[in-house]
Amino acid sequence: MATPEERRIHIETIRTFPAELEALVKDLTPEQLTTPYLDGEWTVQQIVHHLADSHTNAIVRMKLILTEDTPYLKGYLQDEVADLADVESTPIEASLMILRGLHERWANLFERLSEEDWARVGWYDGDPKRAQSVERILEIYAWHGGNHIDQIKKTLAADD
Ligand code: NI
């Protein structure tokens, strides 16, 4: 179990993530956003839209866990979703706005959880062996945003 201080640091990461992402991508050119500089990897635009899709799914799952008894959790096919038509046709500002609002609500929710809430779980694919706790969601998504920021930096560095 995480200590209160570890939780506080992760929640701060969740809260500040949208601003960190925006600072990184706001001045990129259309070419930088949509060129697949690294073979087999997403473009920066796909990464930004993926973050909005992924974190939207995550907060929905967390709210199911907080309000239902061991709810059924469903994943999604992230590569297929990253290839849907809106990803190519929508400016990243749309997803930056989603992330800004979503992360404010997410951080506010995390800050107000009881000890019982942190331990609540849902079951991936209804399988008790694949239980995921609210505590784990905080750890995963505090990491996930930073991991994709690193991926964006690597992608842009390959533009030479
Ligand atoms: Ni991801």
Side-chain angles (χ1 to χ4, degrees), residues 13 16-17 22 28 32 38-39 42 48-49 51 60 62 66 70 79 82 91 115 117 125 129 148 156 160:
T13 300
T16 56
F17 171 71
E22 277 180 51
L28 298 180
Q32 286 176 307
L38 297 171
D39 276 351
W42 289 333
V48 173
H49 288 315
L51 285 160
V60 167
M62 177 166 151
L66 288 170
T70 58
D79 287 316
E115 271 316 305
D117 289 333
D125 301 325
K129 291 194 291 294
H148 281 296
L156 294 172
D160 46 22

Side-chain angles (χ1 to χ4, degrees), residues 99-111:
L99 288 163
R100 207 179 306 147
L102 189 145
H103 276 244
E104 182 179 348
R105 294 187 61 187
W106 213 1
N108 287 344
L109 181 57
F110 275 123
E111 280 175 352

Side-chain angles (χ1 to χ4, degrees), residues 42 50-51 54 76 78 143-144 147-148 151:
W42 289 333
H50 160 73
L51 285 160
S54 166
Y76 70 101
Q78 62 175 11
W143 168 83
H144 182 250
N147 185 56
H148 281 296
Q151 185 189 20

